[in-house]
Amino acid sequence: MLGKFVEYIDQGDFICTICLQDKGTKLHLLTLSNREVNLSPKRALLVSGGSLDTDKSREELLDRLRRTEENRERFKGLVNVRELWELIKDEKEQFDYRYLAQLSFGQEVTDEHLSGLVRALFEDRLYFRMKDGHFVPNPEERVEQIIRQREEEARREERLTKGALWLKDLKDGKPHDPPSFKEEIVRLLMDLVLYDTEAPEFKFGKELLAQAGIGDLKQARALLVKMGVWDEDENLDLIRMRITASFSEATLAESARLATAAKSFDGREDLTHLSVLTIDGPYTRDFDDGLSLEFDGESLHLGIHIADVAGAILPGTGLDAEASARASSLYLTRGRIPMLPETLSEEALSLKAGLDREAVSLLARVDLQGRLLEYRFVPSVVRVRENLAYEHVDSAIDQDETLKALWAIVQKFRERRSEQGAVNISMPELVVKFHSDGSLSLMLVPQNTPSRLIVAELMIFYNWLAASFCMDHQIPLLFRTQAQPSERFTVDDHGYLFYAFRQRRKLNPLRIETKPKPHSVCGLNAYTQCTSPIRRYLDLVVQRQIKSYITEGKGLYDEKGLKAIRLATEPVLKQLERVRRNRTRYWVLKFLKENRHKRFDAIVMNEQRNRYEILLPDFLLLADLKRRDDFSLFPGQSLLVEVKRADPWDDVLELAYAGQK
């Protein structure tokens, strides 16, 4: 091959050279850049027919090589690859370079013609492919596929280049009009934040941010906040789990029809003469339980009236499907996501003062010691006298005879349940308050006040009798059961919260079953839940079952149907609880971030090998504290800790020991 022009491909480029020496297993070549390289003969793609005198000067060799390269590039430009493909695309065979060159140029072909042809076909790569040293025309469908791929690649490159420039300017605070595909970039950034490496276009998103000079993928959230797509405190769980507060137009229309439909109270017991009241939080708008009490010598007539949602939301309707899919109302620090549209949950079905409302009432007679004498469930019509707030009830309980009697009787109920083994853990509620300057504060609201215990005990009483009624009449039901705790504790010198958190860990899981079993934590032989049908779908299902029996003599669901409902609903309820728990933790971590380097009370809960598990009692938050050699702690011990780092977005909390309390 001495003196011949040798062409080979290196990193996708054609390299034209002159062979200076043929060593058999290696060719020593001169390139246009005046470099000498060694090449295996197997890599030679084209070898010229004629040869040069390699004894010529280096300048002469390079000049000839340059002119040859230019000539071959010129011939490459004369090749119409598409026309050539059109001529032979239907022939199912391979073609050598010379035949294709003759078709293309229509004359006796030279080395330059061959090189131009090979370069054109190789660089195009759309209409032909190489196989065993020959060219094979691609089928039409393959050509169309390659065109689509190239268009997508060009679009990807545009998204990458223009998108990265836009994001870089956005990060740096420079004005820059967004590209036409802004929404695609926004969706990509959202996916990166929500799903991280599981995002559909994770690799492209990572490349996009890197080209914008952003190495930390977590900065995608900051960009979305800058764009105004997300709020600084956006609840990502709601987006990730596709939980929405809005209802479809069809659902709203169905709700409106129900809300405005004429009501008939036929077949209902008229209880509008009773002085019914509700007790709720100050911001409650969906009142689903009312209470009444009448005195009769040595006994009390207790009425617990639950909004009759079953009478409005029928199985198989669109509203029923929507309520089933949502499973429960979700109450968050900032707002709530109702299970039913507000026209029903806050208006037509809500036990609002002064309005006649349909209910499923429990009418029970008890003696002054709280012993049950008789009871019955009835479809009813009630009229609430007043919607009271917890704080009002607590302040008025000593002056109002009805409230005082209710308080006295529920204490008897509670004592009896305790005697039957109930585990009465009353944890305070963590409330987040937002201030005009953007800061927030946290406070604990006790849940063991008379007003709250009145409501809690009477709802337990209603649910217990509902379960007992179904058990006695062999009505299939969703019973709530709970086995005995694996261990029982008592409150000691370490305080109530230390006891409560320890005891909660020893409780067995709550189970929903279609067969009655004891609910040990409530201290009852049977239990269900049906006192919040506006807010909880399973409560609505239980209410339907009881109401159907007392009006039709049989339950609406069989055991198989109830199991199917439970299986569909339980995962959603767990998801909602996770959202609620995560959001509460978010606000606590945000508060701690705003109060870095401050000291807070803590209680040691557990001692482990490399850390202590501690409780921050002011926030009901469990956290870790690294062990150190210079101090030793024990469960129940009080101490002070300092916040070193808190990040609500990344769910990070680092605490340091700050001394004994």
Side-chain angles (χ1 to χ4, degrees), residues 156 159-160 163-164 167 184-185 187-193 196 199-218 220 223:
R156 180 185 186 278
R159 290 168 68 209
L160 188 62
L167 293 181
E184 295 179 38
I185 300 298
R187 181 70 257 173
L188 173 63
L189 294 178
M190 291 173 68
D191 285 346
L192 288 177
V193 177
D196 196 53
E201 289 190 89
F202 173 75
K203 289 183 178 179
F204 178 75
K206 186 176 180 181
E207 187 179 354
L208 176 70
L209 291 177
Q211 195 157 317
I214 302 170
D216 186 358
L217 294 184
K218 294 175 183 176
L223 290 172

Side-chain angles (χ1 to χ4, degrees), residues 171-331:
K171 172 180 69 77
D172 297 338
K174 298 177 182 178
H176 189 125
D177 290 336
S180 59
F181 46 84
K182 171 188 174 181
E183 293 307 315
E184 295 179 38
I185 300 298
V186 167
R187 181 70 257 173
L188 173 63
L189 294 178
M190 291 173 68
D191 285 346
L192 288 177
V193 177
L194 295 171
Y195 309 113
D196 196 53
T197 57
E198 299 300 316
E201 289 190 89
F202 173 75
K203 289 183 178 179
F204 178 75
K206 186 176 180 181
E207 187 179 354
L208 176 70
L209 291 177
Q211 195 157 317
I214 302 170
D216 186 358
L217 294 184
K218 294 175 183 176
Q219 290 301 309
R221 182 193 70 84
L223 290 172
L224 290 166
V225 172
K226 269 193 172 184
M227 293 178 201
V229 175
W230 281 349
D231 180 78
E232 174 64 33
D233 299 306
E234 194 76 31
N235 191 334
L236 300 190
D237 279 340
L238 296 181
I239 302 172
R240 190 178 290 115
M241 298 177 186
R242 295 180 173 84
I243 299 173
T244 176
S246 62
F247 292 90
S248 69
E249 290 186 8
T251 301
L252 292 174
E254 186 179 351
S255 176
R257 285 195 299 272
L258 282 176
T260 56
K263 295 184 181 298
S264 172
F265 297 140
D266 292 345
R268 293 183 175 274
E269 190 164 337
D270 187 351
L271 301 179
T272 55
H273 63 282
L274 295 178
S275 183
V276 179
L277 54 88
T278 66
I279 306 174
D280 291 278
Y283 305 111
T284 299
R285 294 174 301 202
D286 47 357
F287 305 104
D288 51 15
D289 56 90
L291 310 172
S292 64
L293 189 67
E294 291 183 313
F295 302 91
D296 179 21
E298 294 301 310
S299 64
L300 300 171
H301 291 271
L302 177 63
I304 305 174
H305 315 278
I306 305 301
D308 186 0
V309 182
I313 313 298
L314 303 180
T317 61
L319 272 170
D320 179 57
E322 183 71 26
S324 173
R326 294 186 176 227
S328 172
S329 295
L330 177 60
Y331 294 87

